Amino acid sequence: MSQQLKRDYVVLEEIGRGRFGTVFRCSSVNSGDSFAVKSIDKVAITAAGDSLDAQCLWTEPKILELVSPHPHIVNLRNLYEDEAHLHMVLDLCFESNLHARVMSEPEAASVMCQLMQAVAHCHGLGVAHRDIKPDNILFDEENRLRLADLGSAGVFKEDERMSGVVGTPHYVAPEVLTGRDYDEKVDVWSAGVVFYEMLAGFPPFHGESPVEIFDAVLRGNLRFPTRVFRSVSPAAKDLLRRMLCKDVSRRFSVQQVLRHPWFSIAEQTMPTE
Ligand SMILES: Nc1ncnc2c1ncn2[C@@H]1O[C@H](COP(=O)(O)OP(=O)(O)OP(=O)(O)O)[C@@H](O)[C@H]1O
């Protein structure tokens, strides 16, 4: 454990684990405030022998430095390195229950508005997240949405597109699967899948295996089964069509999503406290 990290934070219980990262709760020695520390095992990455993973080691902290601070992103507070680990001190968050239940449109609008603000901030700085999915959408102690895990993010420039298959089967955009170059609108597609799932309780493109899911994504046949979508507003369906549009040139940008009338319609029907 880095001596410097131990000087600044008391590292407490484990709260999560990924492929190479273990996440602990920690508290600041100075303020007593709670944070999360994600410790990446450099040795395990090197031993796994995957040069892509080794390259990605620095992607997350570098991109987090670029996009922090933002109220809807899991911000990087401090970074430490020792021989075996990279330690990222992050805002402490909690897993979302986005998978757990079908949401009303006002609830979904609140989630989508915060998510799209985080994505707009990233896109404005030339960063595409590339792995938007419920597991990477966390909430902080004040119940504010925080976009997490920028380990798969990519930097794009005006005349330079991105490549490489990155993402998670149900949420990945079709242009990523075809192996062609793509742009930041892959995030709008993935956020559209999350949006559909919040309203329907199941994803728009499904299958029994990853291959079947990929085939369904590539077909991109968006359906609104009456059983479930009978009570969903035409504005919500319109926005879903514009986000889950296979033709990237016609797919909405994040700014266009944020300007869509569905947000104000859904807000007007929000119950008052
Ligand atoms: N800031 C945080 N606060 C609380 N929990 C967190 C935080 N960041 C991540 N976690 C939790 O820790 C677990 C692992 O985190 P994360 O997915 O970022 O690790 P990872 O190594 O990048 O994972 P993978 O590459 O396998 O997706 C997840 O369950 C996540 O919910």
Side-chain angles (χ1 to χ4, degrees), residues 15-23 36 38 40 60 74 90-95 131 133 135-136 138 148-149 151:
I15 51 174
R17 197 174 268 262
R19 239 163 17 115
F20 297 110
T22 310
V23 183
K38 179 168 167 178
I40 312 273
E60 189 169 15
V74 175
L90 306 162
D91 295 321
L92 179 65
C93 295
F94 304 92
E95 279 177 14
D131 198 15
K133 57 179 174 179
D135 287 352
N136 290 335
L138 306 181
D149 198 359

Side-chain angles (χ1 to χ4, degrees), residues 196 204-205 219-224 237 240-242 244:
Y196 185 107
F205 312 109
R219 280 194 302 277
N221 186 7
L222 183 63
R223 284 167 191 271
F224 298 119
K237 285 183 227 168
L240 280 167
R241 275 191 209 97
R242 292 174 192 276
L244 295 171

Side-chain angles (χ1 to χ4, degrees), residues 116-117 119-120 123 185 188 252-259:
M116 296 323 283
Q117 281 176 36
V119 174
H123 289 187
K185 281 190 186 172
V188 173
F252 266 12
S253 68
V254 62
Q255 294 297 348
Q256 286 174 305
V257 171
L258 280 167
R259 286 198 298 267

Side-chain angles (χ1 to χ4, degrees), residues 75-251:
N75 296 301
L76 180 68
R77 301 299 186 125
N78 264 309
L79 181 62
Y80 302 93
E81 189 182 10
D82 55 36
E83 266 180 33
H85 293 97
L86 199 63
H87 304 281
M88 288 179 272
V89 177
L90 306 162
D91 295 321
L92 179 65
C93 295
F94 304 92
E95 279 177 14
S96 62
N97 60 354
L98 295 183
H99 269 318
R101 66 194 172 90
V102 174
M103 281 189 195
S104 68
E105 288 190 45
E107 282 178 294
S110 164
V111 171
M112 284 304 290
C113 183
Q114 298 178 70
L115 175 61
M116 296 323 283
Q117 281 176 36
V119 174
H121 173 71
C122 292
H123 289 187
L125 292 167
V127 171
H129 185 285
R130 301 200 294 186
D131 198 15
I132 293 179
K133 57 179 174 179
D135 287 352
N136 290 335
I137 299 172
L138 306 181
F139 286 86
D140 66 18
E141 279 163 322
E142 287 151 39
N143 211 23
R144 249 189 327 208
L145 179 147
R146 301 276 185 164
L147 182 59
D149 198 359
L150 281 117
S152 304
V155 174
F156 60 88
K157 300 190 181 90
E158 208 171 304
D159 47 5
E160 210 178 286
R161 292 162 65 79
M162 292 171 285
S163 59
V165 178
V166 182
T168 304
H170 281 117
Y171 305 92
V172 70
E175 65 271 24
V176 174
L177 294 177
T178 55
R180 287 196 300 261
D181 289 354
Y182 52 84
D183 64 17
E184 72 280 12
K185 281 190 186 172
V186 294
D187 286 341
V188 173
W189 176 280
S190 305
V193 176
V194 174
F195 179 22
Y196 185 107
E197 225 180 342
M198 286 192 295
L199 296 180
F202 50 83
F205 312 109
H206 36 88
E208 294 293 317
S209 64
V211 172
E212 273 184 38
I213 299 167
F214 291 148
D215 282 346
V217 171
L218 284 168
R219 280 194 302 277
N221 186 7
L222 183 63
R223 284 167 191 271
F224 298 119
T226 323
R227 178 176 53 87
V228 172
F229 279 89
R230 191 186 300 121
S231 53
V232 170
S233 70
K237 285 183 227 168
D238 182 73
L239 180 55
L240 280 167
R241 275 191 209 97
R242 292 174 192 276
M243 295 178 81
L244 295 171
C245 173
K246 255 193 342 177
D247 179 350
V248 182
S249 64
R250 289 195 303 120
R251 187 182 309 154

